[in-house]
Amino acid sequence: MTIGLLVAIGLGILVPCMPGLNSALMPLLALLLFLSFVKVNFWGHKWRFLDIVKVFVGTLLMAGIVFLIGQAIGIEKVWLIGFVLTALTPTALSSPVIVDLVKGNVVLVTQVLLSMNVISVVYVPVAIYFFFQESVRIDAADMGLKLFLMVLIPMMIAYFVEKSRFGKVVAKVSDKSSFWILSLVMYIVFSSNSEFIVGGLSENWIYFVVLFGLALVNYGVGALFGFGQSPRDRLTMSISLGYKNSLLSIWIGLTFFSPEVALIPTIYTVCHHLVNSGLIFLKGRR
């Protein structure tokens, strides 16, 4: 499975995406989330507010550390904004899929991603202004619509399917089909940005090394914040902090700053998927 994901990433970078295939990305992600949710009973679980706060604090902590290190070594402002923006980015909408594949806590990561993405409309602009005196804006209605369409609707459909006579069949099929759909999603994501990624890596390869290190630290801090919990929950906390909603930070970079700013979260996308592939190999279905 891990090799398959790496092949999908490699093909995405090297082989251009077919016209129109990019429009299938969001429906495929929603389908992936449905397949992860159909095996989980969300109802009756208490919200893990303390863990949500830990991820939020960890996100701000990492952004502050990145900012201080960047200033200390004299990184150019345009690149530093990209690094800090990447550190500030909330949990990826597709994180339940990875957590499911590594046999983590899907309920916990779903609570975290919903909370982090909702409050990101406030804390990301505030933090960017605090660090750089630059203004950005995340549309709350647009974020709410994406969460509703991408996460809540698949969750509701999964609930009714799981309760039906087809629930066990769909859950069984999901184990076999999730990997192939995820591989297709990885191909679309990377092929859609292949020229940008290849150009950025060839000219700024050192940033890949730094961002891969940042990804490892993010995952490590997440695991540290899960100290005292079950291995399953620690792994989930690790992914909650390390696996970022890069599409959001890339959009912010392109909309309010420059392609150079957006390049940093784009490269981070490669890094967090490499880490995810390693986790799937070590902890999940090989």
Side-chain angles (χ1 to χ4, degrees):
M1 176 176 289
T2 301
I3 294 175
L5 290 177
L6 294 176
V7 168
I9 293 172
L11 283 176
I13 293 174
L14 298 174
V15 181
C17 182
M18 292 185 295
L21 192 58
N22 193 42
S23 62
L25 180 60
M26 293 305 175
L28 286 172
L29 283 173
L31 176 59
L32 270 175
L33 287 169
F34 163 75
L35 293 173
S36 297
F37 292 155
V38 78
K39 295 173 284 186
V40 180
N41 182 7
F42 282 90
W43 316 111
H45 291 274
K46 293 183 178 179
W47 276 75
R48 304 269 291 268
F49 290 110
L50 180 58
D51 290 322
I52 294 168
V53 170
K54 287 179 180 179
V55 174
F56 175 63
V57 170
T59 300
L60 296 182
L61 176 65
M62 289 304 302
I65 292 173
V66 167
F67 176 75
L68 292 175
I69 293 175
Q71 279 208 321
I73 63 178
I75 293 180
E76 190 178 344
K77 182 180 178 180
V78 65
W79 299 115
L80 185 55
I81 291 174
F83 279 104
V84 172
L85 177 60
T86 299
L88 284 170
T89 306
T91 308
L93 299 187
S94 56
S95 55
V97 178
I98 302 299
V99 169
D100 178 40
L101 290 173
V102 301
K103 304 172 185 176
N105 189 333
V106 174
V107 174
L108 173 57
V109 78
T110 303
Q111 292 178 358
V112 171
L113 84 86
L114 286 170
S115 302
M116 288 296 294
N117 280 275
V118 167
I119 64 176
S120 70
V121 302
V122 176
Y123 83 77
V124 171
V126 170
I128 290 295
Y129 188 81
F130 175 79
F131 288 125
F132 302 105
Q133 290 72 56
E134 299 278 358
S135 297
V136 302
R137 179 177 177 271
I138 302 174
D139 189 281
D142 182 63
M143 176 63 76
L145 180 62
K146 286 180 180 177
L147 291 174
F148 180 71
L149 294 175
M150 294 287 300
V151 182
L152 295 179
I153 285 184
M155 186 187 297
M156 290 185 287
I157 295 175
Y159 171 77
F160 290 110
V161 171
E162 190 269 335
K163 294 296 182 183
S164 73
R165 59 181 179 176
F166 305 107
K168 292 183 179 180
V169 176
V170 175
K172 188 175 180 179
V173 170
S174 72
D175 286 334
K176 299 178 180 179
S177 58
S178 291
F179 163 71
W180 297 106
I181 299 173
L182 179 61
S183 297
L184 179 57
V185 167
M186 291 298 97
Y187 168 75
I188 294 173
V189 168
F190 284 98
S191 63
S192 300
N193 300 281
S194 60
E195 186 175 344
F196 193 38
I197 293 172
V198 171
L201 287 176
S202 62
E203 296 177 8
N204 304 280
W205 62 269
I206 189 63
Y207 288 158
F208 171 78
V209 176
V210 174
L211 285 164
F212 189 72
L214 176 61
L216 292 176
V217 173
N218 277 333
Y219 280 82
V221 170
L224 184 64
F225 278 9
F227 182 77
Q229 301 183 23
S230 67
R232 181 169 173 255
D233 284 357
R234 279 202 308 274
L235 182 59
T236 302
M237 290 291 286
S238 174
I239 294 169
S240 297
L241 188 57
Y243 187 20
K244 301 289 189 180
N245 184 1
S246 295
L247 291 178
L248 174 63
S249 48
I250 292 169
W251 174 80
I252 292 174
L254 290 173
T255 303
F256 297 98
F257 298 107
S258 66
E260 288 80 8
V261 172
L263 177 63
I264 300 301
T266 302
I267 296 175
Y268 187 89
T269 303
V270 179
C271 299
H272 70 202
H273 282 304
L274 290 176
V275 177
N276 288 340
S277 298
L279 289 175
I280 291 170
F281 176 76
L282 292 172
K283 301 289 186 179
R285 306 178 183 95
R286 304 185 186 192

